[in-house]
Amino acid sequence: MQMKLAAGAFPLLSKWKSLISTIRRYKVMYALLLPALLYFALFKYIPMAGIIIAFKNYNMALGLWDSPWVGLKNFKDFMNGVYFWDIMRNTIIISLYKLLFGFSAPILLALLLNEVYVQWFKKIVQTITYLPHFLSWVIVYGMMVALLAPGDGLVNMILKENGFQPISFLSEPGWGRLLIILSEIWKDIGWGAILYLAALAGIDPSLYEAARMDGASKWRQLWHVTLPGIRGVVILMLILKLSHILDAGFDQIFMFANTFNQDKIDIIDTWVYREGLERLKIGLATAVGLFKAVIGFGLVLATNKLAKKFDGQIW
């Protein structure tokens, strides 16, 4: 028995010595990594203790530990609620639209800018496109009001001058989702393109030279050289996007929502804001947050598995 324990202890001891040796060798790198690890530990992992609120009828007067347990009641109340299917449908539709158009738009912009050889023009376009990212949604909504207001909005003034009836863009339900998608693309297209431009800059130029010598056209170079060169970055960003598929953008929806279009753009996060903060149903709000996190985690695992399965078979 002692011989078996000794035999099992030596490989473990060897691994610990190897780990300590690696840490000593790269101690500067680990020191640089330490603040990020502390950040995630303090603000991401330790607060996970609050997940138990999802299984309690939380009362601020009683505190976290003394509030009564209710099991899965908060989850059942959410799923059996009157608005469950409406907010789920709105959240999924808006998220899929953002994923389909908002995710591909920065890639397209990066591919177009990569073909621009006049550097001063390229820099101007980059600056103009990524500046909106630094604007808050409050400012963006104010700009939308200035452009699309029914009475004195610029677009409606042009429509009236040309004999058309003004359109209530910000209050008609049919325009709500379209404005959300378009404003999201306008705000983040330039910022998102920066990462893809960096990936494009890392492609070996000799690959393009070899493709041109083989008689490949621009489209062939794009399909067989450019897109495979940024495939890893695209897959990584897709995985990160899917992890937030049920977010749909609280700040943006909160600004755009009103009495008239709320049925079409009300999402999980805005509903949780009303129930959790305005009506102080904190247990219910926590349960919904946990529900979203579990679905996001599952989507990340599934997407990562598919990415590994099809790696090398795309393009």
Side-chain angles (χ1 to χ4, degrees):
M1 186 68 178
Q2 291 180 353
M3 292 291 291
K4 290 182 179 180
L5 288 175
F10 281 119
L12 184 61
L13 183 61
S14 178
K15 289 181 180 178
W16 274 107
K17 286 183 178 180
S18 177
L19 177 61
I20 293 172
S21 177
T22 303
I23 293 175
R24 286 177 177 174
R25 185 184 306 173
Y26 301 105
K27 57 185 177 182
V28 177
M29 298 297 180
Y30 282 106
L32 293 173
L33 183 63
L34 186 60
L37 293 176
L38 289 175
Y39 167 79
F40 278 96
L42 292 173
F43 298 103
K44 301 295 182 179
Y45 287 98
I46 294 177
M48 283 185 182
I51 288 175
I52 63 174
I53 296 176
F55 306 96
K56 289 191 169 193
N57 182 15
Y58 181 72
N59 188 318
M60 287 186 288
L62 296 176
L64 177 62
W65 304 110
D66 294 330
S67 296
W69 291 91
V70 293
L72 299 176
K73 182 181 181 300
N74 289 321
F75 296 92
K76 292 177 181 177
D77 289 346
F78 172 59
M79 294 181 184
N80 295 328
V82 178
Y83 301 104
F84 174 75
W85 291 111
D86 291 335
I87 61 176
M88 281 295 294
R89 181 176 61 252
N90 290 339
T91 303
I92 292 173
I93 289 174
I94 292 173
S95 295
L96 289 178
Y97 281 160
K98 286 186 175 183
L99 185 64
L100 180 62
F101 300 106
F103 180 73
S104 57
I107 301 175
L108 180 60
L109 177 62
L111 293 174
L112 292 173
L113 288 175
N114 190 53
E115 298 299 322
V116 176
Y117 298 104
V118 182
Q119 291 300 315
W120 63 266
F121 179 74
K122 183 177 180 179
K123 291 179 180 178
I124 290 175
V125 173
Q126 280 186 266
T127 303
I128 292 174
T129 53
Y130 79 63
L131 277 179
H133 174 79
F134 300 99
L135 300 177
S136 69
W137 281 113
V138 177
I139 296 174
V140 173
Y141 184 72
M143 296 170 64
M144 299 290 284
V145 170
L147 289 172
L148 304 175
D152 54 355
L154 179 61
V155 174
N156 278 312
M157 289 176 64
I158 295 173
L159 289 176
K160 286 189 288 186
E161 288 181 1
N162 289 275
F164 296 98
Q165 290 294 325
I167 302 173
S168 299
F169 293 101
L170 299 175
S171 57
E172 288 189 9
W175 287 96
R177 292 173 183 169
L178 179 62
L179 291 178
I180 286 170
I181 305 305
L182 292 178
S183 59
E184 170 96 358
I185 293 173
W186 173 78
K187 188 173 185 294
D188 290 333
I189 185 172
W191 185 258
I194 293 175
L195 183 62
Y196 298 108
L197 284 169
L200 289 168
I203 299 176
D204 189 354
S206 63
L207 296 175
Y208 290 104
E209 294 176 7
R212 284 193 294 267
M213 291 181 65
D214 289 338
S217 63
K218 279 288 184 182
W219 288 108
R220 287 290 182 181
Q221 293 176 40
L222 174 67
W223 188 254
H224 294 288
V225 179
T226 305
L227 292 179
I230 63 172
R231 178 178 58 196
V233 176
V234 172
I235 292 175
L236 175 62
M237 296 305 296
L238 178 62
I239 292 173
L240 295 176
K241 283 281 187 181
L242 284 174
S243 67
H244 297 281
I245 194 70
L246 293 183
D247 287 346
F250 168 78
D251 296 343
Q252 180 190 21
I253 305 286
F254 185 76
M255 291 305 307
F256 277 76
N258 53 57
T259 306
F260 303 100
N261 62 13
Q262 186 170 327
D263 290 342
K264 290 292 185 180
I265 67 174
D266 194 22
I267 60 172
I268 294 175
D269 287 345
T270 52
W271 183 84
V272 167
Y273 171 80
R274 295 195 301 272
E275 295 294 317
L277 294 181
E278 293 182 355
R279 300 177 185 175
L280 294 179
K281 296 181 179 179
I282 300 176
L284 178 62
T286 307
V288 177
L290 182 58
F291 169 79
K292 287 174 49 183
V294 170
I295 292 179
F297 182 67
L299 288 171
V300 167
L301 293 179
T303 309
N304 190 40
K305 188 173 182 179
L306 286 174
K308 290 180 178 178
K309 182 178 179 180
F310 293 104
D311 189 29
Q313 301 179 19
I314 307 174
W315 296 306

